[in-house]
Amino acid sequence: MNTIKYLFKSLYSNQTVLEGRKRRWIIPVIMFVLGFVMMWVPILSKGYTSSLSGILFNGAKTTNQEVDVAYEQIFESDYFKKITFTKNSNGKMNLEYNFTEEDFTEASNESILNQNDDEYNNRNMNHELLKSSYTYNGTPISYYYDVILKERGPYYKDPADTDTIKYEGNDKDESKSKYVRMLQAFYLDINDKQVDDEIAIIETFLKKNILRYTDDGKSIQNYVHSTVIFGKDRMYMLLAPLHSSKSASVMSQYSGLISEAIGEDMSGKTLYSLINSNTDDKSVSDKIAIRYQNYGNLIHKMSWNNHIKNVWINVLITSGIYAGVVLVISGVLIFIHKRKRSAYRDTTYWEALKESMVMVFTPSIVGLAVGFYNFAFQITLFVMFVLFRTFFMYSKIVPPAYTSQGNKPLYQARQ
């Protein structure tokens, strides 16, 4: 059997795999390596071509279609022009908030987080920035807060007069807020020494101040709204349905690092100037689209390095599973080969390993096809097809017990 014919038939014929166990090692090894590569291709292809700004351009469309409108209001705010890029003590580019007393109003932490406080909501319809503070591990951390509201109207009414879908308060309660929250923006004034704890600071702030988890951590007291949190180096964002309730699950989440996207050439420049780059002499509608695209590009860059790291982690996981399956199946095959009724008892472990390397090639083709659709399905179907092929391999190695007497089964030949 020539090599080309052997390669083709080994894709579907277990008998060919068995007959090829005495062949040179180079063919099984090549097929083993090619199988590796085919399992990598979907992961690397999808990983290196992904747009990480999809939370804005895809997630927003399926959750809160008003989030782009809300961001546009933030981008046009006077205070937004005072957020600058600066180099911290570790030499990384971070955000610095140069707000003055004219930009904000002091407020209590409780009044900011009370979603039914229409006295505050009425003030914030004028796009007022508030300043407050909360305590993290005994240390007070100042933060600034802006919320983009929409006054309730026919479009923003609850879809049904029931208690299942609500905004703030109960539909039956006359004190219910008359505003819908499209986006909440928080700016945490974290110092250089706290940057290393920034993830924990943001997570704590989200749970205790924004969602207000109960002491047992099992439920929340505030309704879930689309939120963006700017820290010193990290930015966190979640999108929630515009028709929100306390039971609503977060639809999309994002986290990225400013230092991963901004170089030293931006030192001293503002976040506003970055968002508004290439908008000169453009129409109003074009400016809005370009700003949102620039913001999307920033989001993409901020999480790119971490994304690629996760891509290669998935490659390593897939490689480990692939190699592990080959070794396990080779052990199963040598066990089958050594059974008393085996037709190939002279098989060595090296030959069983070669059989295993050839056997998994076809399942890896299936993994290649499925991997472009779903990574989890890729691994699952790969393993399933390997087990499926091993099951039929058993009948080839250990044929049914027949005798030469009329080619009948043993129990019939004895009669």
Side-chain angles (χ1 to χ4, degrees):
M1 187 186 299
N2 62 47
T3 301
I4 301 298
K5 185 177 180 181
Y6 167 72
L7 289 174
F8 177 73
K9 291 192 68 176
S10 67
L11 295 177
Y12 62 89
S13 172
N14 287 336
Q15 187 62 44
T16 301
V17 175
L18 284 169
E19 293 171 356
R21 74 190 190 284
K22 299 294 184 181
R23 283 178 169 267
R24 292 181 59 203
W25 60 270
I26 188 68
I27 299 299
V29 170
I30 290 176
M31 296 180 75
F32 174 73
V33 173
L34 287 177
F36 251 121
V37 173
M38 285 192 293
M39 295 292 284
W40 292 351
V41 168
I43 303 172
L44 294 175
S45 176
K46 292 177 69 175
Y48 277 88
T49 58
S50 296
S51 173
L52 306 183
S53 59
I55 186 173
L56 290 178
F57 300 102
N58 299 325
K61 291 179 180 178
T62 57
T63 54
N64 179 352
Q65 289 125 342
E66 303 295 331
V67 72
D68 56 342
V69 177
Y71 268 118
E72 182 59 28
Q73 292 188 40
I74 290 176
F75 296 156
E76 292 182 340
S77 300
D78 289 336
Y79 74 79
F80 199 73
K81 301 175 183 179
K82 298 182 180 181
I83 304 175
T84 60
F85 299 110
T86 183
K87 186 186 294 185
N88 67 13
S89 57
N90 296 323
K92 295 182 177 181
M93 298 301 297
N94 288 168
L95 292 178
E96 183 173 341
Y97 307 109
N98 302 302
F99 304 142
T100 64
E101 293 183 357
E102 296 177 354
D103 299 314
F104 60 83
T105 301
E106 296 278 355
S108 68
N109 193 44
E110 183 62 29
S111 65
I112 289 178
L113 301 176
N114 184 358
Q115 298 173 344
N116 287 319
D117 189 348
D118 274 346
E119 180 181 354
Y120 157 68
N121 288 333
N122 279 318
R123 288 160 49 199
N124 214 70
M125 286 299 290
N126 297 322
H127 218 42
E128 183 178 357
L129 188 66
L130 297 186
K131 180 182 180 181
S132 189
S133 65
Y134 87 108
T135 302
Y136 173 78
N137 286 348
T139 303
I141 297 178
S142 297
Y143 70 88
Y144 303 89
Y145 174 60
D146 187 15
V147 60
I148 308 303
L149 299 167
K150 188 80 173 182
E151 191 165 1
R152 290 183 186 279
Y155 177 77
Y156 294 101
K157 284 185 177 180
D158 293 329
D161 188 20
T162 68
D163 291 333
T164 56
I165 301 179
K166 315 172 223 180
Y167 297 101
E168 295 91 13
N170 188 296
D171 283 340
K172 312 300 182 182
D173 186 356
E174 294 182 356
S175 65
K176 172 184 174 180
S177 173
K178 63 179 181 178
Y179 297 101
V180 178
R181 296 186 173 210
M182 295 190 292
L183 181 67
Q184 301 176 133
F186 294 88
Y187 307 89
L188 303 188
D189 198 3
I190 299 171
N191 60 47
D192 289 352
K193 295 180 179 179
Q194 296 171 321
V195 170
D196 292 339
D197 294 330
E198 196 165 22
I199 295 178
I201 291 173
I202 290 177
E203 286 181 352
T204 302
F205 184 78
L206 178 67
K207 291 180 179 180
K208 292 188 176 181
N209 277 49
I210 300 177
L211 301 178
R212 299 176 75 184
Y213 271 81
T214 55
D215 292 338
D216 58 10
K218 295 182 179 180
S219 60
I220 60 175
Q221 300 178 66
N222 270 353
Y223 291 79
V224 182
H225 298 284
S226 295
T227 302
V228 59
I229 303 174
F230 292 91
K232 189 77 171 177
D233 187 27
R234 185 171 295 275
M235 191 196 81
Y236 171 82
M237 178 168 49
L238 68 82
L239 292 183
L242 189 63
H243 295 249
S244 179
S245 70
K246 287 184 180 179
S247 61
S249 60
V250 173
M251 303 299 293
S252 304
Q253 295 186 72
Y254 168 88
S255 180
L257 294 173
I258 296 294
S259 57
E260 297 286 354
I262 304 300
E264 293 186 10
D265 59 312
M266 289 295 294
S267 181
K269 297 181 180 179
T270 64
L271 181 57
Y272 176 85
S273 66
L274 177 66
I275 299 297
N276 283 271
S277 60
N278 302 318
T279 58
D280 293 341
D281 302 322
K282 301 291 183 181
S283 64
V284 174
S285 60
D286 286 344
K287 282 185 177 181
I288 292 174
I290 293 172
R291 284 171 182 164
Y292 207 55
Q293 185 63 54
N294 289 340
Y295 185 54
N297 293 337
L298 176 65
I299 285 177
H300 177 81
K301 292 177 181 178
M302 285 195 299
S303 56
W304 179 253
N305 288 342
N306 187 62
H307 169 73
I308 294 302
K309 177 182 176 181
N310 290 331
V311 167
W312 282 102
I313 288 175
N314 286 334
V315 167
L316 290 175
I317 292 172
T318 303
S319 301
I321 293 173
Y322 185 87
V325 166
V326 169
L327 291 175
V328 170
I329 295 302
S330 66
V332 173
L333 290 176
I334 193 62
F335 174 77
I336 298 172
H337 276 300
K338 295 304 180 181
R339 297 198 64 181
K340 289 183 179 181
R341 292 192 291 108
S342 170
Y344 306 92
R345 293 198 69 192
D346 62 334
T347 302
T348 65
Y349 176 74
W350 171 239
E351 291 171 345
L353 183 60
K354 288 192 292 183
E355 290 175 349
S356 180
M357 288 189 285
V358 174
M359 277 179 56
V360 300
F361 187 73
T362 301
S364 67
I365 296 175
V366 176
L368 170 67
V370 175
F372 284 103
Y373 172 71
N374 186 287
F375 169 68
F377 285 172
Q378 177 190 29
I379 299 298
T380 302
L381 288 181
F382 168 74
V383 174
M384 286 178 60
F385 268 77
V386 170
L387 294 175
F388 184 75
R389 191 165 191 185
T390 304
F391 175 78
F392 284 98
M393 192 75 160
Y394 177 86
S395 64
K396 293 291 184 181
I397 299 173
V398 185
Y402 291 102
T403 68
S404 60
Q405 187 178 357
N407 199 31
K408 296 180 179 180
L410 185 59
Y411 74 92
Q412 292 180 358
R414 288 174 178 171
Q415 295 178 355

